[in-house]
Amino acid sequence: MSTAVTRRSLREQDPPVGAPAAASSPRRRPARLLADLLLWIAAIGGVVCIVLVILAYTAGITLIMFKTGSMSPTIPAGSVAVVQRIPAAEVEVGDVVTVDREGELPVTHRVTTIVPGATDAERVITLKGDANATEDPFPYTVTSVRTVLFSVPGIATVIVAMGNPFVLGGITVAAAVLVVWAFWPRDGRRRERMPT
């Protein structure tokens, strides 16, 4: 009874006497390692994006960018904060929250006072930026706010640049080239012929 011959068993056999050794250019190995590293980085980036989308829909977690330094030094200008939407009833004095304003950009400041609103779910809150000398001019009536979980300084410019159509197009083309290059068959590979 003969044993099955597989490609793996053929590769593991010693080459015939006088046969040239399989081509293994030292230049190809670092290139292959670089391709693998870049593919892993792209895969991790993709997983992070998927996790962020899931968190945005299930837990109300999103990102906000700080253009001004009104929350310095706690959150300097150019920071990105991770925020989560919570009911206004859960807000406490001292929390840093983002309040949406109709027709204007949202404001992110620290809560200084909380007063019950017209309903059980409503609160009237007063905010003040850590770098500001006075409280915001008007209180905000809210039923929910986005509370700041944590912030990362200095990456807002990177995220804004990623939104540029030319940058997005370049990243897409580079990713496509990387995937094609990593999985393209190599001419230098030895082709084994399966026995009939």
Side-chain angles (χ1 to χ4, degrees):
M1 183 173 182
S2 62
T3 57
V5 178
T6 62
R7 287 184 183 268
R8 182 175 179 175
S9 65
L10 288 173
R11 281 195 303 269
E12 290 173 353
Q13 290 177 358
D14 291 331
V17 177
S24 60
S25 170
R27 280 182 266 161
R28 287 187 183 227
R29 184 132 179 94
R32 187 68 185 172
L33 290 174
L34 177 62
D36 288 345
L37 175 66
L38 292 175
L39 283 172
W40 273 106
I41 291 171
I44 291 168
V47 169
V48 168
C49 290
I50 291 169
V51 168
L52 288 175
V53 169
I54 291 170
L55 287 175
Y57 281 104
T58 60
I61 293 177
T62 54
L63 303 176
I64 60 168
M65 292 181 279
F66 287 80
K67 292 184 176 180
T68 68
S70 65
M71 280 302 295
S72 295
T74 309
I75 306 173
S79 299
V80 171
V82 176
V83 296
Q84 182 176 24
R85 186 166 293 281
I86 60 170
E90 296 179 13
V91 176
E92 297 178 0
V93 171
D95 289 348
V96 177
V97 300
T98 299
V99 174
D100 297 315
R101 301 182 293 176
E102 192 173 338
E104 296 182 68
L105 290 173
V107 62
T108 304
H109 285 161
R110 194 175 300 278
V111 178
T112 55
T113 62
I114 303 171
V115 177
T119 66
D120 288 341
E122 195 175 79
R123 298 290 184 273
V124 179
I125 60 175
T126 306
L127 302 179
K128 176 183 174 295
D130 288 359
N132 295 346
T134 59
E135 294 178 337
D136 293 2
F138 304 104
Y140 304 95
T141 302
V142 294
T143 55
S144 69
V145 297
R146 290 177 283 169
T147 184
V148 175
L149 302 177
F150 65 90
S151 64
V152 180
I155 64 167
T157 51
V158 175
I159 292 177
V160 169
M162 297 283 276
N164 183 308
F166 293 109
V167 174
L168 286 174
I171 291 171
T172 303
V173 169
V177 168
L178 174 64
V179 169
V180 169
W181 179 71
F183 293 105
W184 195 264
R186 304 289 186 248
D187 292 337
R189 287 183 182 166
R190 188 168 47 118
R191 293 182 173 87
E192 293 100 355
R193 185 174 297 180
M194 294 291 288
T196 55

